[in-house]
């Protein structure tokens, strides 16, 4: 064999050793291990129910940190200043009976919940009108800015109606339910 033949055979062998990935090949999961995290969640929702629903973002964050990060050294702060404040007030516990347990579950894990005094006042609440697991701060904007200055990441948890795979198949029957 001459050099050109060996070189060509080697190039072909090398080229066939790389698998072609295409649109029908599955994705891969990379179990990245994250370090400690510091995040401030900006709660400003249209309804009390949306605010309570957004607590799921925090639960998911904690679950992921426990599995893939350093939860013990992480810090999570919620700064609430929207209509969710009605569910955060102990004066409305009859309307939102499960709210306190949800807040307590998170604060027992180290989550801090801050209430904007200005937003509370504008909705008819005094600073002492909230649950004992919360802290009322002068203003949401300066509280969020404080955490930004301390290097916290910022999350604004937007809420949308959940769409399932079944919903997609119903809308686009050509994809099928494999």
């Amino acid at each position: 064999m001459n050099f050109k033949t060996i070189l060509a055979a080697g190039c072909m062998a090398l080229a066939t050793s790389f698998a072609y990935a295409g649109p029908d090949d599955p994705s891969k999961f990379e179990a990245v291990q994250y370090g400690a995290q510091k995040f401030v969640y900006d709660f400003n929702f249209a309804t009390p129910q949306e605010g309570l629903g957004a607590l799921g973002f925090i639960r998911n964050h904690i679950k992921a940190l426990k599995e893939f990060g350093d939860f013990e050294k992480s810090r999570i702060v919620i700064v609430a200043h929207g209509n969710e404040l009605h569910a955060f007030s102990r004066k409305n516990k009859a309307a939102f009976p499960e709210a306190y347990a949800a807040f307590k579950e998170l604060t027992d894990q180290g989550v801090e919940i801050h209430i904007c005094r200005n937003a509370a006042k504008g909705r008819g609440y005094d600073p002492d009108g909230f649950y004992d697991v919360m802290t009322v701060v002068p203003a949401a904007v300066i509280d969020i800015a404080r955490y930004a200055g301390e290097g916290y990441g910022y999350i604004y948890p937007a809420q949308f109606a959940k769409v399932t795979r079944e919903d997609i198949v119903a809308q686009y029957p050509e994809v099928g339910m494999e």
Side-chain angles (χ1 to χ4, degrees):
M1 278 196 190
N2 66 28
F3 177 73
K4 287 182 182 180
T5 306
I6 293 172
L7 183 60
C11 287
M12 287 181 66
L14 184 60
T16 59
S17 68
F18 292 109
Y20 171 76
D24 295 326
D25 292 318
S27 59
K28 64 181 180 183
F29 175 71
E30 185 177 346
V32 176
Q33 293 299 308
Y34 298 94
Q37 297 186 348
K38 301 186 309 184
F39 275 94
V40 59
Y41 279 81
D42 182 355
F43 273 33
N44 184 17
F45 295 103
T47 68
Q49 294 79 6
E50 287 178 4
L52 292 173
L55 298 175
F57 284 98
I58 312 297
R59 283 188 210 93
N60 288 339
H61 197 156
I62 290 170
K63 182 179 176 185
L65 278 171
K66 286 181 176 180
E67 188 173 0
F68 300 107
D70 187 350
F71 176 71
E72 297 303 318
K73 293 181 183 170
S74 293
R75 294 219 27 230
I76 297 174
V77 179
I78 298 169
V79 178
H81 58 104
N83 289 323
E84 70 279 352
L85 293 182
H86 299 294
F88 286 49
S89 173
R90 61 186 171 75
K91 294 182 178 191
N92 300 323
K93 61 184 165 189
F96 308 100
E98 288 87 31
Y100 182 77
F103 301 135
K104 184 89 168 96
E105 172 199 350
L106 294 176
T107 58
D108 282 351
Q109 295 183 78
V111 175
E112 294 179 33
I113 303 173
H114 295 186
I115 304 297
C116 173
R117 183 199 62 158
N118 291 341
K121 184 178 177 183
R123 287 169 177 78
Y125 299 100
D126 291 324
D128 66 352
F130 297 92
Y131 290 111
D132 64 329
V133 296
M134 300 172 184
T135 301
V136 177
V137 297
V141 67
I142 63 173
D143 206 44
I144 291 168
R146 169 189 155 201
Y147 286 104
E150 293 177 7
Y152 278 65
Y154 173 84
I155 297 178
Y156 189 84
Q159 296 222 353
F160 301 95
K162 183 178 185 177
V163 176
T164 66
R165 173 89 167 100
E166 289 78 16
D167 297 330
I168 294 298
V169 171
Q171 186 174 358
Y172 304 98
E174 64 273 17
V175 299
M177 273 303 287
E178 303 170 0

